[in-house]
Amino acid sequence: MSALALLQLVSPALPVGAFSYSEGLEVLIQAGLLTDEASLEDWLTAELERGALRLEAAALSLLRADLQLWTRLGDEAALNRVLDLDGWLLSTREAVEMRAQQRQMGGSLLQLMADMDHDLPHPAKLAWPGAWAWAALVLAVSETEMVEGYLYGWTANQLSAAVRLVPLGPTRAQVLQQRLLPRIAEQARLLQEQDPRQLWSGGVGASLAQLAHAELYSRLFRS
């Protein structure tokens, strides 16, 4: 059953608005830095291995464990740890558009869980990583699948944006997604037991692209 729940969470039909964000990809493509399948693969690989995404993926198990303590045992200290870590992850995103994206998608996912009778016991505003950890907990998705799904969903959303921006058809996007599966699984395995605050992020290029997105004269995406 957890596998089916994971499929629902990574579905492009999930009503969280992920399709409307490029996370700086639009800037890089307009600047001519990403022009084809090969350069896109290099970019996605670099983000999976060195980007800020890694910090969020590494935080999922900690967020999930404390959400479980809070909701099942009423541990207020656990809730404070969740809010602190979720807020810290949000602060690692330099661009205003990225922070707005994380808040919007997190709020939408929490609302979806509430509509599915899995609402938080008390209102708490969580950004995307915290909301994803909550969804995985209540839908009984395993910890490994939770981290893999987070990385897979990010990759799929980036490829969806690239199909609309790069000379890259949907078939080639799926071929590229398949080639990245071993790397996604490897990163999920490495990050699952890591402390996100002890990791580093080398995603400076992504951060600069995300900051520059607000200055684009013409754009399709919200980030």
Side-chain angles (χ1 to χ4, degrees):
M1 187 67 178
S2 66
L4 293 177
L6 180 63
L7 290 176
Q8 183 174 15
L9 283 178
V10 299
S11 168
L14 196 74
V16 297
F19 68 91
S20 63
Y21 300 104
S22 82
E23 300 193 16
L25 201 65
E26 189 169 18
V27 169
L28 298 169
I29 291 168
Q30 284 199 26
L33 298 174
L34 299 180
T35 58
D36 54 21
E37 182 179 333
S39 58
L40 178 62
E41 181 173 5
D42 288 343
W43 176 259
L44 295 176
T45 298
E47 285 300 289
L48 285 168
E49 293 181 346
R50 300 185 290 278
L53 176 75
R54 298 169 64 252
L55 308 183
E56 296 168 358
L60 293 175
S61 293
L62 294 175
L63 290 166
R64 176 186 178 132
D66 278 330
L67 282 166
Q68 187 170 31
L69 286 173
W70 173 50
T71 56
R72 297 188 180 177
L73 302 177
D75 188 335
E76 292 296 324
L79 172 60
N80 290 333
R81 289 194 298 270
V82 167
L83 296 176
D84 180 65
L85 181 53
D86 197 58
W88 179 81
L89 291 170
L90 197 61
S91 72
T92 66
R93 297 292 191 167
E94 291 91 346
V96 172
E97 286 184 354
M98 281 301 300
R99 294 194 294 273
Q101 172 186 334
Q102 296 286 74
R103 292 189 185 99
Q104 180 271 302
M105 289 176 59
S108 295
L109 184 54
L110 290 179
Q111 182 58 58
L112 174 62
M113 291 299 102
D115 291 341
M116 294 168 62
D117 296 324
H118 295 301
D119 50 334
L120 291 167
H122 301 290
K125 292 183 179 180
L126 299 177
W128 181 239
W132 181 270
W134 171 248
L137 173 63
V138 298
L139 296 179
V141 173
S142 73
E143 287 195 33
T144 298
E145 290 174 329
M146 171 182 66
V147 182
E148 288 178 342
Y150 193 87
L151 298 175
Y152 177 93
W154 175 85
T155 306
N157 286 332
Q158 289 281 280
L159 287 170
S160 175
V163 166
R164 286 170 276 174
L165 294 167
V166 182
L168 178 75
T171 298
R172 295 311 305 172
Q174 288 301 305
V175 171
L176 179 48
Q177 178 92 53
Q178 193 275 334
R179 284 207 303 271
L180 290 171
L181 292 181
R183 198 171 303 277
I184 289 171
E186 178 188 18
Q187 285 301 308
R189 179 182 59 81
L190 292 173
L191 295 171
Q192 190 174 336
E193 302 299 329
Q194 297 293 317
D195 181 347
R197 291 188 173 96
Q198 299 301 316
L199 296 175
W200 58 271
S201 169
V204 177
S207 296
L208 290 173
Q210 291 156 9
L211 286 165
H213 189 268
E215 305 301 322
L216 286 182
Y217 175 76
S218 175
R219 54 185 180 172
L220 294 175
F221 295 90
R222 297 171 62 185
S223 71

